Every structure is written in structure tokens, then in C-alpha cells.
Amino acid sequence: MDTTTAALTRDEIARFHQQGYLGPYTACTPEDMAAVRLRIDAEVLTSTGPNPASPLHSRHLDHRPVHDLVTLPGVLGRVRGLLGDDIVLWSTFLFNKEPGTPEVPWHQDIDEWPLDPPVNLSIWMAIDEVTAENSCVQIIPGSHRELLHHVPSRPGMVFSKEIEPGLVDTSGAIDMELAPGEFFLFSEQLMHHSNKNDSNRRRLGLSARYTTPSVNIRDQDSAPCFPGHACVLVSGSDTQGLNRMTEPPA
């Protein structure tokens, strides 16, 4: 695995605030990810994990390789550049988009997140090779500056809500194509989306959500969490005691 500690430059921090995202960056090599992928396929995708109702949710709580991916030095070094030294990992999700999986509509994550105040930084990491062909994430740079109205999704979408279609201008959208082990960082308000996977290749990615100990996760027993859900301190210290915490898996 890549053990190089990464830090953001002043220019990168300014660009994040202007554009709402940064990357791609390399967390680990494709060769290292290939070994982790074998374990995820064999041990994670075949089991229920801590949340039987959503088996791909928060597998960093029970599977050490998933935890280790989202806490690699190349990841946490950059997260620190935007959140500071004290960092809480409060959610992860494996997006397993098999061939034929429908479209994820344009949305902003913060619309349904129980964070008070709404401070969050997300990453999206490629487990498989991720291209436009097999439905990479698309983003609209700069779209994080305004929270847009969300409505029930049109039929055939993966998510139940989407940004009101008339409000979405996709003229500036870009494809976030990633090699295995690459990731990008993005704001909780950045507009993003992915097309239906019309290829014959799976697209497996891992998202992780970070916040600070001063943020209250209002209800850790309901969506997007689940009964018994807990956070993991991945950097610094927690002097606030606002949220249910747990240790990383062995």
C-alpha cells in the first residue's frame, strides 16, 4: 500500500472551495487494489455486515481492508487539509454497479444527511477500473455553491430523490474516470450523478464520509445510519463526545 503522507497545497485548498472537488489522486497502486478487491469480493459482497438491511453500508466497521482503504495516508493527509487534524469517519458505502444497473439521478448528498452543522468531506475511490463506458461518476464543478430543490425521482432511477430536473445544467459536467486505487474528494453539496451501466463490466467504488468531532450526527439509529451505528475517530482526538464512537475492526 502507498504509505506516503499527502498534504494539500494552498492552491489546492482554494481550488476545492471554488470547484467543490479535487482529484483524482492515488491512494494505492492498481496492483495493491487487486489484492484488496479479491478480499472484498470474497468476504464483503457475500456477507451482510453490521447492517443486514443494507449490506454494502459502513463495511469499514466490520472489515479491516475496507477501513484501511479509507484511512490510507494519501487519503487522510488530504482530508486533514480541509477538515483539520481531528477527523471522524461516520459512513462508508460500496457502490456496486453491475451491468444493467440503472441511472443514479443528479443529486446533492447533503439533502438527506443528519449533520448539524452540515460539515462533511467525501471521497469516492475506484475498486474496479472506472470509465465513462461502465458508468463513472459525473460531477458539475462549482455546483456546490447552492443547495437545490430535490423532488421524488422519475421512474427507473436508483435513488428515490433527485434535483428538480429543470434546475440541472449539465453543460459543464465532467467524467471522473479512475484507475483502481484512485479517488477524488468532493463537497457534500456538489451535484453528481452516474448513467445506467450499459457496459458488460462491473463498476465497484467505495465512498467515505468524514466530519469533525464538533458535528452532531442527529440520529445514529436511522437513515443514512442504522441501529447501533457508530463513528470511528481516524485522526486526532474527540474532546466533544457528541456521537456514538467505536474502535476500528481488528
Side-chain angles (χ1 to χ4, degrees):
M1 289 288 186
D2 179 13
T3 58
T4 303
T5 299
L8 294 179
T9 66
R10 183 176 297 180
D11 286 345
E12 285 176 307
I13 293 170
R15 188 163 70 250
F16 176 84
H17 290 300
Q18 180 183 40
Q19 298 292 320
Y21 83 101
L22 288 172
Y25 296 112
T26 298
C28 65
T29 66
E31 293 75 21
D32 285 336
M33 184 59 83
V36 178
R37 185 190 307 117
L38 289 174
R39 293 195 62 182
I40 290 175
D41 285 346
E43 301 167 11
V44 177
L45 300 186
T46 60
S47 59
T48 58
N51 181 15
S54 184
L56 301 182
H57 188 181
S58 289
R59 296 308 299 267
H60 68 284
L61 294 175
D62 78 316
H63 195 257
R64 186 72 194 207
V66 173
H67 169 276
D68 289 348
L69 282 178
V70 298
T71 56
L72 283 168
V75 174
L76 286 185
R78 295 179 171 98
V79 173
R80 288 188 191 97
L82 294 165
L83 292 183
D85 291 336
D86 300 332
I87 302 169
V88 170
L89 173 64
W90 70 275
S91 179
T92 61
F93 194 83
L94 283 157
F95 286 95
N96 185 16
K97 202 160 191 181
E98 297 283 357
T101 302
E103 176 183 353
V104 172
W106 288 102
H107 65 284
Q108 294 167 301
D109 288 336
I110 200 62
D111 180 66
E112 292 190 340
W113 280 356
L115 303 178
D116 186 18
V119 175
N120 178 83
L121 181 65
S122 296
I123 69 160
W124 203 102
M125 184 184 296
I127 308 298
D128 296 330
E129 182 183 22
V130 174
T131 66
E133 181 188 21
N134 70 342
S135 187
C136 67
V137 175
Q138 294 181 314
I139 65 171
I140 301 177
S143 61
H144 63 300
R145 299 191 188 99
E146 181 182 6
L147 183 59
L148 298 176
H149 182 56
H150 287 62
V151 297
S153 292
R154 292 159 291 165
M157 298 288 184
V158 171
F159 288 2
S160 62
K161 294 179 70 177
E162 65 176 325
I163 297 171
E164 187 175 338
L167 301 178
V168 180
D169 177 4
T170 62
S171 60
I174 61 174
D175 293 327
M176 295 304 296
E177 296 188 309
L178 305 170
E182 290 187 327
F183 71 99
F184 66 96
L185 304 101
F186 63 105
S187 162
E188 69 281 351
Q189 286 195 188
L190 187 73
M191 292 170 57
H192 56 293
H193 150 278
S194 65
N195 289 313
K196 178 183 177 183
N197 186 357
D198 284 325
S199 77
N200 60 3
R201 295 187 296 118
R202 181 186 74 174
R203 189 221 69 182
L204 182 63
L206 174 61
S207 67
R209 323 295 188 178
Y210 309 87
T211 189
T212 67
S214 61
V215 171
N216 179 35
I217 301 171
R218 292 191 298 271
D219 189 346
Q220 288 181 260
D221 291 327
S222 66
C225 301
F226 50 86
H229 178 270
C231 303
V232 178
L233 184 72
V234 293
S235 178
S237 60
D238 175 15
T239 61
Q240 308 295 318
L242 292 175
N243 301 300
R244 186 186 302 137
M245 306 293 288
T246 191
E247 295 297 316

